[in-house]
Amino acid sequence: MIFQLDWLLLSLVLVVSSVFLGFSAYYAGLAVKRWAFLGVILGPVAYLLFNTHKHLAYRKVEGARAHRVNF
């Protein structure tokens, strides 16, 4: 019984991660299917990759100096 509960919990975490990354990708303007798929495969670890990719995509659009304050 414990073994089945572990697999159920793991699959629940992966599905929730996929849905969360899908919505986050939609609101960030990124590819939804790609990030939802990575959420299913990698789980919560994909969120770290998502944040990096979102930041790099933003810098690509805004330019490298968009976040810097020059005095």
Side-chain angles (χ1 to χ4, degrees):
M1 184 67 178
I2 296 288
F3 184 71
Q4 292 175 352
L5 187 61
D6 289 343
W7 283 106
L8 180 65
L9 183 63
L10 179 65
S11 62
L12 181 66
V13 166
L14 292 176
V15 168
V16 168
S17 175
S18 173
V19 170
F20 178 74
L21 280 173
F23 280 120
S24 297
Y26 177 75
Y27 288 121
L30 300 174
V32 176
K33 290 180 187 176
R34 176 187 303 161
W35 289 106
F37 179 72
L38 282 174
V40 168
I41 298 299
L42 298 177
V45 176
Y47 187 69
L48 302 172
L49 297 171
F50 174 75
N51 278 336
T52 303
H53 187 79
K54 182 173 69 169
H55 181 71
L56 289 175
Y58 178 73
R59 289 188 68 171
K60 184 178 179 181
V61 170
E62 293 294 322
R65 300 184 59 87
H67 295 285
R68 299 184 186 200
V69 177
N70 293 328
F71 293 105

